[in-house]
Amino acid sequence: AEDLTAMSSAQIAGLTSAQIGALSTEQIVAIDSGDMKALSTSALRGLGTAAIAALTGEQVAALGSGQVASLTTTQLAALETADVVAMTTAQFGALSSTQTAAFTTAQVAAMETADLRALSAVAVRGLGTDAIAALDSSQVAALSTGQIAALTTAQVAAIESADLAAMSGAQLRALSSAQLAALGSTQVGALSTS
């Protein structure tokens, strides 16, 4: 690992996907967070799930949004929850719906409200119903009206009653008639009159 830390950013940037894939988790963790940004997107795809799970929050936060957009769904699902928390809003803004579909419920529950809001409406639509159910009231309240309008009827049905009650009037007005029809009686009963 010491030899790896002696390499310059340019040398790190020259590593291929196969070379990156051959590094141990100890070696991956030894890469300076600034050097992580130098890795090509193809080299990053060489990281296995164990290497992805071993990344530090600083390393993950140092990745450019294009690098994060290049990660596979398997790689994203392998991120530790703390690493998801370390991701920047720009990184979240670069995610596709296919990528957000790979997030575990624990990862989604750990997302900061600003990061959730940074997701495109299409990316929010990629979240599974179990992930939607894992959101807490502050996370649901942070979703934009565009994100709310993009939710599938199955996603709307998965919003917990207490979380639905925390939605603003603007968010509720953003729901389509099909989305409203997907609400269960418990959800409707949780809506406030104010």
Side-chain angles (χ1 to χ4, degrees):
E2 192 172 307
D3 294 338
L4 195 61
T5 58
M7 294 174 71
S8 69
S9 291
Q11 290 171 314
I12 296 287
L15 294 174
T16 66
S17 176
Q19 290 170 322
I20 289 292
L23 296 176
S24 69
T25 54
E26 179 184 70
Q27 290 170 310
I28 294 296
V29 172
I31 297 175
D32 182 76
S33 58
D35 291 338
M36 289 299 291
K37 194 170 181 111
L39 289 172
S40 69
T41 55
S42 63
L44 275 174
R45 284 192 295 274
L47 291 173
T49 54
I52 290 287
L55 292 174
T56 66
E58 288 178 352
Q59 287 174 313
V60 172
L63 295 173
S65 54
Q67 289 173 303
V68 171
S70 76
L71 294 176
T72 67
T73 54
T74 305
Q75 288 175 313
L76 284 169
L79 284 172
E80 295 290 327
T81 304
D83 296 334
V84 173
V85 172
M87 288 174 63
T88 66
T89 54
Q91 290 171 329
F92 276 99
L95 294 174
S96 70
S97 60
T98 304
Q99 289 174 307
T100 57
F103 281 126
T104 66
T105 55
Q107 289 171 321
V108 173
M111 289 180 185
E112 297 173 358
T113 56
D115 296 333
L116 273 169
R117 197 166 174 88
L119 291 172
S120 71
V122 173
V124 169
R125 199 174 170 96
L127 294 171
T129 54
D130 55 342
I132 293 292
L135 295 174
D136 67 24
S137 297
S138 65
Q139 289 172 311
V140 171
L143 295 174
S144 71
T145 55
Q147 289 171 319
I148 294 290
L151 293 174
T152 67
T153 54
Q155 287 175 312
V156 170
I159 298 173
E160 293 182 354
S161 299
D163 301 337
L164 191 67
M167 290 173 65
S168 70
Q171 286 176 311
L172 291 171
R173 285 188 295 279
L175 292 170
S176 69
S177 56
Q179 288 171 315
L180 288 170
L183 295 175
S185 56
T186 306
Q187 290 170 303
V188 173
L191 297 174
S192 72
T193 56
S194 56

